[in-house]
Amino acid sequence: MTIEFARRSHSLIPAEPGKPYFIEKGMGDRAHLFGDLFTIYAGGPQTENTFNFFTCDGPKGDIIPAHSHPDTYEVFFVTQGAVRLFVEDLEGEQTEKLLTVGDFGFVPKNCPHAYRIERHHSQIVGVAAGPGGTFERFFETLGTDTDELGLPRRPYVPEPQKFGTVLQQYDVTFLPDHQWRTGS
């Protein structure tokens, strides 16, 4: 699957694969979505749609909506703060785990999951890979691209109809009626 998107004119990420590059801290392509800042460092065009690499910086907040990726594996590595990861396996068993600095979480494709940032100034390093391509442009397509280095001054909440336009394109299935039975 190839994902096409409007290329940022000021991107530091080269569009073509096979070209080495370097990006200084925080200077990747940035987007605000809800209260978080997503920074993209590598994605589909650079990796021939094999993986993406991004960070999510955020404040303590609410759980993000439960969702799954039918063809994409996702990893969570916490570099600052604390993040609670909720995951349901393919047999329906639910698990939650508080991840702190240095902790790692793996979510296989098709497994419902969500997370909640538990401490202000938390950061997740994310990698997603799989036969479905990559979803790094989901964040700026659903959210809004930004040149700012910090969190949004006000949360950016997309219009409800915008959710329906980006989900299948980026291998994301939201699960609005999903219930977490893990207790937190």
Side-chain angles (χ1 to χ4, degrees), residues 25-89:
K25 179 181 178 181
M27 297 307 293
D29 293 350
R30 296 177 299 281
H32 285 153
L33 180 58
F34 303 112
D36 300 334
L37 170 68
F38 290 89
T39 305
I40 310 305
Y41 293 92
Q46 300 77 43
T47 68
E48 298 180 60
N49 284 327
T50 57
F51 74 94
N52 62 31
F53 184 95
F54 60 93
T55 59
C56 170
D57 293 271
K60 181 176 181 177
D62 295 328
I63 191 169
I64 62 145
H67 64 283
S68 65
H69 306 286
D71 288 314
T72 304
Y73 300 86
E74 189 171 4
V75 300
F76 294 77
F77 183 78
V78 177
T79 57
Q80 296 176 39
V83 176
R84 187 172 304 277
L85 182 60
F86 301 82
V87 182
E88 183 175 308
D89 69 19

Side-chain angles (χ1 to χ4, degrees), residues 100-120:
T100 59
V101 174
D103 289 342
F104 173 89
F106 174 74
V107 179
K109 67 180 183 176
N110 282 315
C111 289
H113 59 286
Y115 66 87
R116 181 175 62 222
I117 295 178
E118 298 285 2
R119 293 187 194 140
H120 289 302

Side-chain angles (χ1 to χ4, degrees), residues 110-179:
N110 282 315
C111 289
H113 59 286
Y115 66 87
R116 181 175 62 222
I117 295 178
E118 298 285 2
R119 293 187 194 140
H120 289 302
H121 309 292
S122 291
Q123 182 181 67
I124 303 164
V125 170
V127 175
T134 62
F135 63 77
E136 74 278 355
R137 297 298 169 185
F138 167 83
F139 306 116
E140 66 190 4
T141 302
L142 187 59
T144 184
D145 65 328
T146 183
D147 290 327
E148 296 177 26
L149 293 173
L151 301 179
R153 290 180 184 93
R154 289 188 316 258
Y156 179 83
V157 179
E159 298 293 324
Q161 67 271 17
K162 201 170 184 184
F163 281 90
T165 64
V166 299
L167 303 181
Q168 189 172 19
Q169 180 182 6
Y170 295 107
D171 194 39
V172 177
T173 303
F174 277 107
L175 307 166
D177 298 323
H178 194 81
Q179 298 293 315

